[in-house]
Amino acid sequence: MFWFAPDILWRWVLALVLGIAGAYYLYLRKPGHRPAFPRPIRNLLFGLRSLSLSGLIFLLLAPRFSQTHLETIPPNIAIAIDNSLSMKYVSADSTQTLETIAKLKEELTRWTQKNDANISWHTLHEDRISPHQIRFNAPQTPLYAMLQRIHQLHTQRKENNFIGTLLFSDGLFNQGPAPTYLNVPKPIHTLSVKTNPLSKDIAITAVKYKKIVPVDHAVAVDLMLQQNGFLDQHTTLSLIHEENIISQTPIILSSTKLPFRIIIPAPSSESVEKYPDQRYQYILKVKGLPDELSLVNNEVRISIKLISQKIKVLLLSPTPHPDLKALSYALKEKNNYQVDLHILSLSDKSIPKKIKDYDIVLCYAAFSNPEMLQHTVFLWKNKIPTWYFLTTQAKASHLSQMPLGLGKADLLSTQIVMVAPYMNNSFSLFQGSHLQQNRIKEYPTLFLPDLQFSPYQGLEPLLFQRIGNTNTQYPLLSLGKGGSQHKIALSIGNGFWQWRQEEYLYHQTHKAFDKTIHQIIQYLGIRKNRNKFQVRPTQDTFMDTEPIRFQVTYLNDLDEPVYGELVHLNILEDNKIIQTQTFHTSPRNLLSIPPLPEGKYIYQARLAQNKDKKTPKASFYVQKNHQELISVQARPQILKDIAERSQGQFLGTDTQKIRELLDSIPLPRKSRKISSSLALSEIWYILLALTLIASTEWVIRKYISGQI
């Protein structure tokens, strides 16, 4: 079908007017000196000249015409191949997967020839490739991302005839969302790889342990072992550190899934000094058995950071008191603290030497006498994290000298007030358990001085006072940052020892009391890293297929971030620099370097403008990516769920069903309009017609002229 553009009419009119005018001037006006032709001949020549001139002028005006026709869009099906490494190990034999692809190719060739259809082959990371280019070597299986990418690729154009996807996979995935949550309008048909029911394998499928532990502490590691084909057989779990076997534990594979615990002995303090970042790397390895399918999933690598120093706690008091003993026992229940007791009445009344070396000070009876007031002010001015105890020994004259950053207290009388505690449910500095809340409600009363007390506004109450049966909003124990912006705790009263004793009397445990004390001490004892220039990896262990990422922080003396500073990062292996990365600090605070081979690496960063400003040497590890080999058993249920959710068909492992599926798929016929635009001067037969008309006029004119 042809049609002219809407603005073509004026071109026709102009060309006809000019063509007729030219022919009229030549043939119909008085001949003058030109030879006179008979009237019929003159009219014929006038018509021919009008046509040729009009056509020539019309072509010079460059008209264009459009052509349109309907084109059938062939149906298109996408073939998604899971080319992950696990496909090699899951299949029944080494050729089964390739035979399935060959069968797919054969059936698809027959189907496309029969139905004039198109197919496209896709893998986990590539689109529209040839089947012979497929290699089963992908280290990860992002099935969700692949299926979503294929759907978007085929439906992003409005004019398409995409009829669905045929997925060939083992159903295993280890990256991104579960493919069963994918929601696409076109069906996904699934074909499962055939698993060898006789395949034998042992795998460590889960590991759980504490990643940060104090020196001289053993570490419990909980494993989940999974076996297939080795029921009731014996093997050995080895604990390895720096290629040295530390221990070997016999295991009986008594079930398909076997939970197991191994205790890693505590490293000695001397051995920790060899590691600049105090990080230990261990390998847990299960001995392989005969005919085992894969050995790479028999081992895992774990990294443990050791805390070489305990939290140093000083108990400072003017006189002995049972509360001090209860607090000391609670802290010694954990081996994380070094607790020292200093009684002023039993020693010199001066403050202990090197008090600044302590992480926390528990200042008991803080405002009871001039010496304790002096020590309280010293602790406050030096911003040492301190737990201040306002006891019944407090004196009005000393309370009046309380730093405003702690609060304001006025002693009303010398009477003793008895109150019970209850927990603040909206406390936000750390999380209290239901056990603590219930036990604290049962604690006996404390003895408080009769005072009017308003804590500093930056302190948050952990415990409130219950007077009789009334829960008040008067604080009993508060924590937070005081007016000088360092961490403090402030409690009123004495008699805490009764809480610990009462809990044991009724429950045969000190769990709630001790946990509350530990949480307070841990809150006070955690200090921010004061190093203003820090470069540290985002994780302890990386895979050899992923980039190594570092988090970068550089602060000035006002703790403001500094951007644009040039930094050199050295990566060392075996004490040799293998690469140096240069970058500038930026708001992004993240540096990424290319993946590295398996091994242990040391890194150190320094500022280019200040070579003395550098980070301590620390390490990270790179290990082989064996995610694909953690499980070598296909999961056909996943493939079945994908098919059902998308209204597709699940073929199982039967390749004979491929033909049935292809022949049953509805083939919608779609067409689209194809339009093209072309200049009239580009069409040869129009130019030929004009040439013939002009030639005919010329021949007739010459012939008649010769007869006259």
Side-chain angles (χ1 to χ4, degrees):
M1 178 180 179
F2 299 91
W3 72 87
F4 292 103
D7 62 342
I8 209 70
L9 182 61
W10 70 269
R11 303 173 191 262
W12 277 115
V13 173
L14 180 61
L16 285 173
V17 169
L18 294 178
I20 292 173
Y24 175 81
Y25 175 81
L26 188 61
Y27 290 112
L28 297 185
R29 77 186 188 103
K30 292 182 180 181
H33 64 278
R34 293 187 295 276
F37 296 108
R39 187 174 182 83
I41 298 300
R42 190 167 65 244
N43 291 339
L44 175 63
L45 294 174
F46 169 77
L48 293 173
R49 177 56 65 92
S50 297
L51 287 175
S52 61
L53 279 177
S54 297
L56 180 62
I57 294 170
F58 188 70
L59 292 179
L60 292 176
L61 293 176
R64 304 184 70 84
F65 73 91
S66 298
Q67 179 184 13
T68 182
H69 67 276
L70 293 177
E71 180 181 81
T72 301
I73 305 175
N76 183 19
I77 187 170
I79 310 302
I81 304 296
D82 175 2
N83 66 323
S84 61
L85 195 61
S86 64
M87 293 282 284
K88 284 184 179 180
Y89 294 89
V90 170
S91 58
D93 58 70
S94 58
T95 62
Q96 189 267 342
T97 302
L98 297 178
E99 290 175 355
T100 300
I101 291 180
K103 181 68 174 179
L104 265 173
K105 185 178 179 181
E106 175 188 340
E107 293 297 337
L108 288 167
T109 301
R110 179 196 64 83
W111 179 74
T112 54
Q113 293 174 351
K114 176 182 176 181
N115 298 285
D116 191 23
N118 291 334
I119 59 171
S120 57
W121 294 79
H122 307 262
T123 60
L124 290 169
H125 303 289
E126 295 181 287
D127 294 311
R128 295 193 170 99
I129 66 171
S130 175
H132 71 270
Q133 295 177 312
I134 297 175
R135 299 292 182 270
F136 293 91
N137 55 7
Q140 294 171 323
T141 312
L143 281 183
Y144 183 101
M146 175 180 68
L147 295 172
Q148 186 179 55
R149 186 189 76 241
I150 291 173
H151 179 265
Q152 292 175 348
L153 181 67
H154 287 276
T155 58
Q156 60 187 358
R157 294 186 307 169
K158 292 183 179 180
E159 297 176 348
N160 68 81
N161 197 5
F162 182 55
I163 61 175
T165 304
L166 175 56
L167 170 65
F168 176 46
S169 173
D170 54 17
L172 301 175
F173 65 94
N174 49 41
Q175 190 180 58
T180 50
Y181 292 112
L182 185 66
N183 187 16
V184 293
K186 298 298 181 179
I188 300 176
H189 313 286
T190 54
L191 176 66
S192 175
V193 68
K194 186 179 295 183
T195 301
N196 186 356
L198 300 179
S199 62
K200 298 181 178 181
D201 189 57
I202 304 173
I204 301 176
T205 57
V207 184
K208 185 178 180 181
Y209 63 97
K210 287 186 177 181
K211 296 184 179 180
I212 302 177
V213 295
V215 174
D216 300 328
H217 273 220
V219 181
V221 181
D222 293 314
L223 307 173
M224 179 60 72
L225 303 179
Q226 185 171 326
Q227 64 82 24
N228 182 58
F230 293 115
L231 188 63
D232 293 330
Q233 294 197 33
H234 296 250
T235 185
T236 303
L237 176 64
S238 299
L239 175 64
I240 304 171
H241 174 62
E242 292 191 342
E243 300 181 358
N244 297 318
I245 297 177
I246 297 176
S247 65
Q248 289 184 317
T249 307
I251 298 175
I252 301 176
L253 302 172
S254 57
S255 62
T256 302
K257 293 185 177 181
L258 179 67
F260 192 80
R261 168 171 285 196
I262 184 172
I263 303 298
I264 298 180
S268 63
S269 302
E270 294 76 15
S271 64
V272 173
E273 295 177 358
K274 298 190 303 182
Y275 302 92
D277 55 349
Q278 299 169 336
R279 197 175 300 277
Y280 262 58
Q281 187 84 189
Y282 294 95
I283 296 176
L284 296 170
K285 186 174 183 179
V286 178
K287 181 182 178 182
L289 296 178
D291 301 325
E292 186 173 351
L293 184 61
S294 171
L295 295 177
V296 296
N297 55 1
N298 285 31
E299 66 179 60
V300 293
R301 187 184 298 268
I302 63 174
S303 178
I304 298 173
K305 183 174 178 59
L306 301 172
I307 303 174
S308 59
Q309 293 182 347
K310 298 180 180 180
I311 297 177
K312 295 181 179 180
V313 181
L314 173 64
L315 292 177
L316 181 64
S317 175
T319 58
H321 195 280
D323 283 348
L324 300 176
K325 198 168 187 179
L327 292 169
S328 179
Y329 280 157
L331 294 175
K332 290 179 179 178
E333 282 293 318
K334 293 270 187 180
N335 201 24
N336 298 348
Y337 307 107
Q338 175 186 320
V339 183
D340 294 335
L341 179 62
H342 188 86
I343 305 296
L344 298 181
S345 62
L346 302 180
S347 61
D348 65 79
K349 296 184 178 181
S350 63
I351 199 164
K353 295 180 180 180
K354 298 184 179 180
I355 192 171
K356 292 184 180 180
D357 292 340
Y358 286 95
D359 296 299
I360 305 165
V361 176
L362 274 61
C363 189
Y364 194 79
F367 300 93
S368 60
N369 59 40
E371 291 80 13
M372 286 304 299
L373 176 61
Q374 178 186 353
H375 298 334
T376 299
V377 174
F378 176 86
L379 295 169
W380 176 262
K381 288 183 177 179
N382 285 274
K383 299 183 179 181
I384 298 174
T386 304
W387 184 352
Y388 300 94
F389 292 80
L390 275 65
T391 66
T392 54
Q393 298 170 288
K395 300 292 189 292
S397 59
H398 300 149
L399 288 173
S400 64
Q401 301 180 51
M402 176 184 290
L404 294 177
L406 282 175
K408 185 178 180 181
D410 295 319
L411 195 63
L412 301 179
S413 69
T414 58
Q415 294 182 354
I416 303 298
V417 180
M418 299 177 64
V419 302
Y422 76 95
M423 202 164 188
N424 178 10
N425 293 329
S426 59
F427 186 74
S428 62
L429 298 181
F430 51 78
Q431 186 68 41
S433 66
H434 292 294
L435 175 67
Q436 288 171 280
Q437 293 180 17
N438 295 331
R439 295 279 173 86
I440 287 174
K441 288 179 183 179
E442 303 172 355
Y443 286 166
T445 57
L446 289 180
F447 301 100
L448 273 65
D450 185 15
L451 54 76
Q452 183 178 355
F453 175 65
S454 300
Y456 179 73
Q457 60 183 3
L459 302 181
E460 184 176 351
L462 171 64
L463 300 178
F464 286 116
Q465 300 178 25
R466 186 173 74 248
I467 302 175
N469 295 323
T470 304
N471 290 339
T472 72
Q473 292 297 304
Y474 302 143
L476 184 63
L477 171 59
S478 303
L479 295 91
K481 291 185 177 180
S484 60
Q485 294 302 303
H486 69 282
K487 292 180 179 180
I488 63 171
L490 184 61
S491 62
I492 307 173
N494 43 275
F496 296 102
W497 65 273
Q498 299 178 79
W499 290 3
R500 194 169 192 266
Q501 187 181 57
E502 187 92 354
E503 184 178 357
Y504 188 81
L505 182 63
Y506 289 102
H507 303 285
Q508 288 73 52
T509 178
H510 307 113
K511 187 173 183 180
F513 180 87
D514 291 355
K515 182 175 181 181
T516 304
I517 300 300
H518 294 158
Q519 288 178 316
I520 295 171
I521 297 300
Q522 286 175 358
Y523 168 75
L524 297 174
I526 295 175
R527 300 186 184 184
K528 297 177 66 175
N529 191 334
R530 296 179 179 177
N531 190 353
K532 296 181 182 297
F533 177 50
Q534 301 178 45
V535 178
R536 56 186 182 274
T538 56
Q539 56 200 59
D540 297 330
T541 304
F542 296 88
M543 299 296 178
D544 62 350
T545 55
E546 64 179 328
I548 314 299
R549 293 184 175 88
F550 294 88
Q551 190 171 0
V552 183
T553 304
Y554 181 39
L555 305 176
N556 60 19
D557 292 337
L558 298 178
D559 287 340
E560 299 170 332
V562 179
Y563 303 133
E565 286 290 332
L566 185 63
V567 179
H568 298 298
L569 175 65
N570 293 329
I571 307 296
L572 299 87
E573 186 177 22
D574 297 330
N575 294 322
K576 295 181 181 179
I577 297 177
I578 59 172
Q579 62 173 280
T580 299
Q581 297 287 333
T582 302
F583 61 96
H584 291 85
T585 57
S586 68
R588 188 165 176 260
N589 286 342
L590 197 66
L591 169 68
S592 180
I593 66 175
L596 293 171
E598 182 181 17
K600 177 183 178 180
Y601 297 89
I602 304 295
Y603 69 93
Q604 185 176 40
R606 62 177 177 84
L607 293 175
Q609 299 298 326
N610 186 357
K611 294 184 179 181
D612 294 331
K613 201 86 169 180
K614 57 186 178 181
T615 63
K617 289 184 177 181
S619 65
F620 63 89
Y621 295 85
V622 177
Q623 66 181 37
K624 281 285 186 182
N625 187 350
H626 295 315
Q627 285 182 302
E628 287 298 310
L629 304 179
I630 291 177
S631 176
V632 290
Q633 293 294 316
R635 299 176 65 185
Q637 185 61 43
I638 295 290
L639 300 176
K640 186 176 181 180
D641 292 343
I642 294 173
E644 290 178 353
R645 182 176 178 85
S646 64
Q647 307 300 315
Q649 296 185 38
F650 175 59
L651 307 183
T653 60
D654 190 358
T655 56
Q656 301 302 320
K657 292 183 179 180
I658 297 175
R659 175 173 296 192
E660 298 176 14
L661 169 68
L662 295 174
D663 291 340
S664 65
I665 295 177
L667 301 179
R669 292 297 173 182
K670 291 186 178 181
S671 59
R672 59 184 173 185
K673 290 183 179 180
I674 303 297
S675 300
S676 59
S677 178
L678 191 65
L680 204 62
S681 58
E682 297 175 5
I683 303 178
W684 65 271
Y685 50 82
I686 294 180
L687 297 175
L688 178 62
L690 291 177
T691 303
L692 290 175
I693 293 172
S695 300
T696 302
E697 179 208 352
W698 182 81
V699 170
I700 294 174
R701 182 176 176 182
K702 290 298 182 182
Y703 178 76
I704 298 300
S705 297
Q707 297 295 323
I708 297 177

